């Protein structure tokens, strides 16, 4: 860990980072908007080999709208390795660089009629439908993390304000984590609707659990790329996710920029 921090600070300087951003499928290009230094994950020992197409596997540290950010252009998913702790080291690094808050983005399917492809949803809460937990095996009582208000109320209010100021509709809802990599069945989606989910995706939840464990304030926004399985005639595929994500990404970028510029 110390070696990693030295390597990062040698390249990017040692001014503390304020905000971390993890970018989801088809959203990785936002990393290129940062005025700063990009380091490939391949140069960061222990960082995941982000093997999912549509991700941009680099860490960019620099200025975005007057805030010093660390942007993770890609994430490792549980379904790549079977390890729900896949993003633990990057998040530990983020915390050690001084970050106090983390904003996660993801591509997700909608379970709510009236929230369609290209729209954005701010997470108010999540359902860990996978039942996996990245804190299993943590040795001390710090593993008993409180997950009430895991999605920070102040950050949510500020993101809502940012969206309103930009004229962007930001829905609010509950995200269910499905392990992937297969998509859900229509029966699973019907079950998730009954359980109170508004969107479904294959990421974010383990990172929010780890983020809260590390003391990071967390917020997350889904870019809706499709109606979930069985809710429309479109055929779900990763190609479709990557093709649709940029539509929401443009709005997401506006919201994130407005949020970061609020001073
Ligand atoms: N299900 C799971 N993950 C997803 C979806 C979906 O429908 N769309 C984008 N990511």
């Amino acid at each position: 860990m110390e070696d990693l921090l030295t390597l990062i600070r040698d390249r990017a300087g040692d001014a503390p980072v304020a905000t971390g951003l993890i970018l989801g499928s088809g959203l990785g290009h936002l990393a290129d908007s940062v005025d700063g230094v990009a380091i490939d994950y391949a140069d960061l020992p222990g960082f995941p080999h982000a093997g999912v197409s549509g991700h941009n596997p680099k860490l960019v540290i620099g200025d975005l709208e007057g805030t010093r950010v660390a942007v993770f252009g890609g994430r490792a998913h549980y379904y790549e390795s079977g390890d729900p702790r896949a993003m633990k080291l990057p998040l530990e690094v983020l915390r050690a660089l001084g970050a106090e808050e983390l904003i996660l983005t993801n591509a997700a399917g909608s379970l709510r009629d009236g929230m369609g492809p290209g729209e954005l949803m701010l997470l108010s809460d999540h359902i860990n439908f996978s039942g996996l937990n990245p804190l299993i095996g943590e040795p001390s009582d710090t593993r008993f993390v409180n997950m009430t208000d895991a999605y920070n109320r102040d950050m949510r209010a500020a993101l809502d304000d940012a969206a309103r100021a930009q004229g962007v509709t930001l829905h609010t809802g509950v995200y269910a984590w499905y392990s992937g990599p297969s998509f859900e069945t229509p029966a699973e989606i019907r079950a998730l609707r009954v359980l109170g989910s508004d969107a479904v995706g294959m990421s974010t939840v383990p990172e929010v659990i780890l983020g809260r464990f590390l003391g990071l304030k967390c917020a997350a926004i889904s870019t809706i790329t499709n109606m979930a399985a069985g809710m429309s005639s479109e055929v779900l595929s990763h190609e479709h996710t990557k093709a649709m994500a940029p539509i929401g990404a443009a709005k997401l970028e506006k919201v994130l920029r407005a949020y970061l510029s609020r001073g």
Side-chain angles (χ1 to χ4, degrees), residues 107-110 178 183-184 189 200-202 223 225-229 236 241:
S110 171
Y178 186 79
F183 283 93
E184 305 74 33
I189 293 302
V200 61
M202 304 178 191
T223 299
T225 54
N226 56 279
M227 296 309 291
L236 302 186
T241 299

Side-chain angles (χ1 to χ4, degrees), residues 124-177:
S124 56
D125 205 344
H126 72 226
I127 295 175
N128 185 349
F129 195 62
S130 300
L132 300 156
N133 199 298
L135 301 181
I136 289 174
E138 281 300 324
S140 80
D141 282 358
T142 56
R143 63 190 160 194
F144 298 111
V145 173
N146 178 5
M147 293 297 289
T148 307
D149 287 333
Y151 297 84
N152 184 270
R153 283 181 185 273
D154 293 339
M155 290 176 75
R156 282 163 52 194
L159 285 163
D160 255 334
D161 287 348
R164 205 167 304 116
Q166 294 300 310
V168 172
T169 301
L170 185 58
H171 299 275
T172 300
V174 173
Y175 173 95
W177 176 33

Side-chain angles (χ1 to χ4, degrees), residues 20-95:
L21 282 151
I22 297 182
L23 304 177
S25 285
L27 308 171
H29 77 276
L30 287 184
D32 300 328
S33 314
V34 179
D35 179 14
V37 172
I39 309 174
D40 289 337
Y41 287 0
D43 294 337
L44 296 168
F47 263 52
H49 306 282
V52 184
S53 63
H55 284 246
N56 193 0
K58 58 189 181 187
L59 169 62
V60 187
I61 298 181
D63 183 88
L64 190 58
E65 300 294 341
T67 297
R68 188 159 164 86
V69 294
V71 181
F72 297 87
R75 55 157 58 89
H77 304 81
Y78 169 75
Y79 61 70
E80 292 172 72
S81 63
D83 182 1
R85 289 165 304 180
M87 286 299 284
K88 188 171 183 207
L89 181 64
L91 290 172
E92 285 172 338
V93 164
L94 177 66
R95 188 69 171 130

